[in-house]
Every structure is written in structure tokens, then in C-alpha cells.
């Protein structure tokens, strides 16, 4: 999960940099989106030849008898992932405008905002699994959520684009592990039979952040300005340590993961 999310973040950062260079050289939106469409079409064609699932893998999990209620931890972690994706997608969408409109940067400088976010998210996600084995899931996610909030506050009140980049770097590194490790942590609270339904429920809740992030931040920006909007993002990230502290229900299994949360966590 961390590898998949990290690859997405790296591709996003590369696309942001290339788009900023193209804009700086005078490319218009039609040219940029046309090139993006060609790339997507090529990738779709390549994906048609992808490896299929082994026969019978769809039936690997038997339906759970009686559909026992899912642990409350699933809904807490779903909310955590929602906030993480809200902050991630809102920053991906609005960081360039913040650098250009609030701080007076050019097109290339604006592109470095989302690029910095993507690069640091990729770094954190590629190393997140190893870090969780060393420090534990709950402790690592708590520390990184505080780092993300700090980065968002720095970006919100940055006096220059350079300081904003520092904030976006902290924000990207902080939120990088929250969603993939949130899914991994959720698996610890579920039996094998519960996992398909439980992970699907976490995904349904969490990915709402992608839909809510850009328009919500846009409304805040229109009402209060981009600085206040990013400060609201930072404040929302401070909810995450509270949600993690509420994870005091027993685990169903550990399945090789490294930490069993307890009331002391």
C-alpha cells in the first residue's frame, strides 16, 4: 500500500514540475491537457496487457456468517484517512495558486508548491513501512500528523515562496504515511472474514476527502483568503492525534504488523 501511494506521489510531483516548465515557456492549457491525454491513453493501452488475477482469487475470502458489526476503529480510521486525503488533495490543488497569488510567484515557482508536496509524500511513503516497524504504527502516525499540521501552518503564514516550500515539504512528509498506514492499522482490528468489508468501508469514508478537499478549501479561500484556508487545513490535521488516541478497542489479529495499540498508546 505504501509503495502504491508513493508511486502516485512521485508521478504527481514529476507532472507538476513539467507543467510548471511548460507554463513558463508559454504553453496554454489546451496544449498541456492534450499532452496529458496522450500519456493517459498510452498508459491505458499498456494496462490492457496487465497480469490478471490468479483463477479463484476472487473467492479467497468466504463471506462472514451473520455479517457481524465492524469494529468502531474502522470508522475512526476512515475519518482519519478522510482528513489526510482532504489535506493532501486540497494542497495539491491550491498550493500553486497560494504561491502565485498570495506570495507573488511566477508559474514555475507556483508549480514547485505541489511538486514539493509530491516529492516529500513519495519519500515518506517509500520509507513508511520500514519506519512503522521501527517506531510502531500509532506512534509514527501521531508524530507525522503533528508534522503535517506544523507544515500547513508554515505554508499558511509564509512571507515568501521559499518559506512556503518548507511548509509544503513538512505537510507532504507528514501526511504521506497516514492513509496507507491507516489502512494497514485498520486490518489489525478485523478478522480475515471481516477485512474485505472493513477495508471497503474505510475506503468509502476516506476517499471522500478527495471530493471534499478542493471545493471546501476553495470556499474557505473565497470567504477568508488562502492563508486562512491553509490554516484551517492545519487545524483539521490536529484532530488526527485525537482519533488515534481513541483507538483503544481490542485488535482482532496482528498478521505480522508490528504494534498492538493499547490504552497506553
Amino acid at each position: 500500500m505504501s509503495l502504491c501511494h508513493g508511486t502516485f506521489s512521485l508521478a504527481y510531483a514529476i507532472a507538476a514540475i513539467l507543467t510548471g516548465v511548460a507554463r513558463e515557456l508559454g504553453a496554454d492549457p489546451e496544449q498541456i491537457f492534450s499532452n496529458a491525454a496522450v500519456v493517459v491513453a498510452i498508459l491505458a493501452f499498456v494496462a490492457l496487457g496487465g497480469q490478471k488475477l490468479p483463477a479463484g482469487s476472487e473467492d479467497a475470502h468466504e463471506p462472514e456468517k451473520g455479517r457481524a458489526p465492524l469494529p468502531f476503529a474502522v470508522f475512526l480510521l476512515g475519518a482519519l484517512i478522510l482528513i489526510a486525503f482532504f489535506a493532501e488533495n486540497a494542497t495539491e490543488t491550491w498550493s500553486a495558486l497560494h504561491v502565485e497569488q498570495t506570495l507573488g510567484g511566477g508559474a514555475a515557482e507556483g508549480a514547485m508548491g505541489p511538486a514539493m508536496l509530491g516529492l516529500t509524500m513519495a519519500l515518506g511513503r517509500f520509507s513508511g513501512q520500514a519506519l512503522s516497524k521501527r517506531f510502531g504504527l500509532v506512534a509514527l502516525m501521531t508524530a507525522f500528523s503533528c508534522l503535517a499540521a506544523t507544515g500547513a501552518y508554515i505554508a499558511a503564514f509564509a512571507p515568501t515562496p521559499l518559506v512556503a516550500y518548507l511548509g509544503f515539504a513538512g505537510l507532504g512528509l507528514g501526511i504521506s504515511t497516514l492513509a496507507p498506514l491507516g489502512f494497514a492499522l485498520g486490518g489489525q482490528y478485523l478478522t480475515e472474514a471481516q477485512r474485505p468489508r472493513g477495508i471497503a468501508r474505510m475506503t468509502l469514508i476516506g476517499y471522500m476527502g478527495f471530493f471534499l478537499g478542493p471545493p471546501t478549501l476553495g470556499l474557505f479561500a473565497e470567504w477568508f483568503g488562502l492563508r486562512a484556508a491553509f490554516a484551517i487545513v492545519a487545524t483539521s490535521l490536529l484532530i488526527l492525534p485525537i482519533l488515534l488516541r481513541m483507538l483503544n478497542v481490542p485488535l482482532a489479529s496482528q498478521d505480522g504488523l508490528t504494534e498492538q495499540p493499547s490504552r497506553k498508546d
Side-chain angles (χ1 to χ4, degrees):
M1 184 65 76
S2 294
L3 178 62
C4 291
H5 282 257
T7 303
F8 159 77
S9 299
L10 182 61
Y12 174 82
I14 294 171
I17 293 171
L18 293 177
T19 301
V21 171
R23 289 180 61 208
E24 197 71 28
L25 294 175
D28 56 34
E30 290 80 6
Q31 293 172 310
I32 293 173
F33 280 109
S34 296
N35 288 327
V38 171
V39 172
V40 171
I42 293 172
L43 291 174
F45 180 77
V46 172
L48 289 176
Q51 185 178 5
K52 295 183 179 179
L53 291 173
S57 61
E58 296 87 349
D59 300 323
H61 297 282
E62 292 293 331
E64 186 180 3
K65 295 181 179 180
R67 292 180 65 86
L70 294 173
F72 186 57
V74 167
F75 301 95
L76 288 177
L77 288 167
L80 181 148
I81 295 168
L82 186 154
I83 294 172
F85 280 154
F86 162 79
E88 175 183 335
N89 204 245
T91 306
E92 287 173 354
T93 307
W94 289 93
S95 56
L97 284 176
H98 181 47
V99 171
E100 293 179 33
Q101 295 185 3
T102 308
L103 303 177
E109 291 176 303
M112 284 304 298
M116 187 65 69
L117 180 81
L119 288 171
T120 52
M121 282 197 303
L123 176 64
R125 285 169 173 170
F126 286 141
S127 59
Q129 198 67 36
L131 290 172
S132 69
K133 291 179 181 178
R134 180 180 179 87
F135 299 105
L137 289 171
V138 172
L140 182 68
M141 293 171 67
T142 301
F144 271 38
S145 60
C146 293
L147 173 62
T150 301
Y153 278 123
I154 291 174
F157 300 107
T160 65
L162 187 61
V163 177
Y165 299 153
L166 179 63
F168 292 136
L171 174 59
L173 187 61
I175 63 176
S176 62
T177 64
L178 297 177
L181 294 186
F183 284 115
L185 185 58
Q188 293 188 352
Y189 289 93
L190 300 167
T191 64
E192 185 175 358
Q194 287 177 322
R195 280 190 187 135
R197 188 162 58 99
I199 297 299
R201 191 63 51 85
M202 290 172 60
T203 302
L204 173 65
I205 298 170
Y207 273 79
M208 286 299 295
F210 275 106
F211 296 98
L212 296 174
T216 302
L217 195 70
L219 284 174
F220 290 148
E222 184 171 350
W223 294 339
F224 309 114
L226 277 168
R227 289 191 185 277
F230 276 105
I232 292 171
V233 170
T235 303
S236 72
L237 289 166
L238 294 177
I239 300 173
L240 303 188
I242 300 173
L243 295 178
L244 288 166
R245 291 287 297 178
M246 294 171 66
L247 291 173
N248 54 12
V249 296
L251 300 182
S253 63
Q254 296 190 60
D255 281 5
L257 292 175
T258 57
E259 179 180 8
Q260 178 170 349
S262 66
R263 296 182 184 275
K264 293 182 179 180
D265 288 332

